[in-house]
Amino acid sequence: MSDDLLYEKKDGIATVTLNRPEARNALSPDMREGLFQSFIDAESDDTIRCVVVRGEGEHFQAGGDVKAFNEFVKLSPKEREQTFERRIHGLHPTIFAMQRMPKPIIASVRGGAAGFGLSLMMASDMVIASEDAFITLAYINIGTTPDGSGTYTLPRIVGLKKAMEIAMLGDRIKAAEARDLGLINFVVPTGELEAETAKLAKRLANGPTVAIGRTKQLLNASLGNTLETQLSLEAQGFAFCAASDDWAEGVQAFKEKRKPDYKGK
């Protein structure tokens, strides 16, 4: 991986750091590739039980590198269309990997989450943000439409009318309001973001990883399934978990009135 993205592992937690602070962590080709590779590595690594995505410096992620877009202005309209369709398709494997991964992903947000940064945040399973953080879908401000699954996740979280407002106006939304809309789970004092992120990640990493992964899959599938299909998947999920060591440990710990010691398998 390049220096644009850092990947660290410690105590069952993988930390993915967007590392272009001088550009508010705007997306670069190396960062795009690094994000995908990081999620693939975390998914296949049995020692990893939780993933944290964060931005280096004062901001989470500012979206695409708009300054770099200037080089494409000189292209013909058809060339621009082909270039950006190809570039944006390059983001899709990352989003699929995030949803597929049977491990929880936490977005830890300080400063701005704009454009693709907001899409990346919404594609995560939980979001913890500093009280001075803000979000904006922003694409409309440069005359284009959202990408990175933003139009898929946004209306599912806030409802269609509010999604229209957020996407069409491109206004900034402060962390507290974003929490009230369901876009952010936890808002914490700015100086406590790293400690509170670590606490949440540790809680998830020490949990029953098999059950957490199956719960994530069930919830992600639910909005596209019929009740009959979802009930069938629930039965399969419970049965799968019941075959795990974590389930046996959970039942035994409940019987013995002690805290379970889950191993993630």
Side-chain angles (χ1 to χ4, degrees), residues 14-190:
T15 300
V16 179
T17 300
L18 311 171
N19 190 41
R20 296 186 69 208
E22 74 288 350
R24 298 186 178 185
N25 299 315
L27 192 67
S28 69
D30 285 343
M31 187 184 291
R32 182 191 301 114
E33 179 60 31
L35 273 172
F36 173 66
Q37 191 60 53
S38 293
F39 291 127
I40 292 297
D41 290 348
E43 180 180 13
S44 61
D45 188 338
D46 291 339
T47 69
I48 297 303
R49 298 170 66 181
C50 182
V51 179
V52 173
V53 183
R54 61 179 297 275
E56 185 63 32
E58 298 179 357
H59 295 276
F60 178 66
Q61 210 272 342
D65 193 343
V66 179
K67 289 183 179 179
F69 289 174
N70 282 322
E71 67 181 274
F72 301 113
V73 172
K74 61 186 178 183
L75 300 178
S76 70
K78 188 63 178 179
E79 288 173 322
R80 294 201 300 267
E81 180 180 358
Q82 293 173 342
T83 295
F84 280 99
E85 185 166 0
R86 182 171 60 250
R87 286 166 64 97
I88 290 169
H89 271 296
L91 294 171
H92 298 170
T94 296
I95 302 302
F96 286 129
M98 294 176 72
Q99 187 172 71
R100 183 186 65 236
M101 189 195 314
K103 302 169 186 181
I105 301 171
I106 301 169
S108 180
V109 178
R110 73 167 70 250
F116 176 72
L118 179 53
S119 294
L120 180 65
M121 186 196 91
M122 292 190 293
S124 302
D125 302 312
M126 290 191 193
V127 181
I128 183 168
S130 61
E131 59 190 357
D132 63 348
F134 65 89
I135 64 170
T136 170
L137 205 52
Y139 295 87
I140 205 71
N141 297 328
I142 60 166
T144 190
T145 55
D147 61 13
S149 76
T151 60
Y152 180 87
T153 52
L154 184 61
R156 284 167 166 77
I157 297 171
V158 304
L160 185 58
K161 293 299 184 187
K162 192 65 179 180
M164 292 284 190
E165 174 190 334
I166 292 170
M168 292 181 180
L169 299 182
D171 292 336
R172 287 189 177 191
I173 299 173
K174 294 181 179 179
E177 182 183 353
R179 177 191 56 204
D180 293 343
L181 290 170
L183 289 161
I184 290 173
N185 298 93
F186 311 102
V187 176
V188 300
T190 300

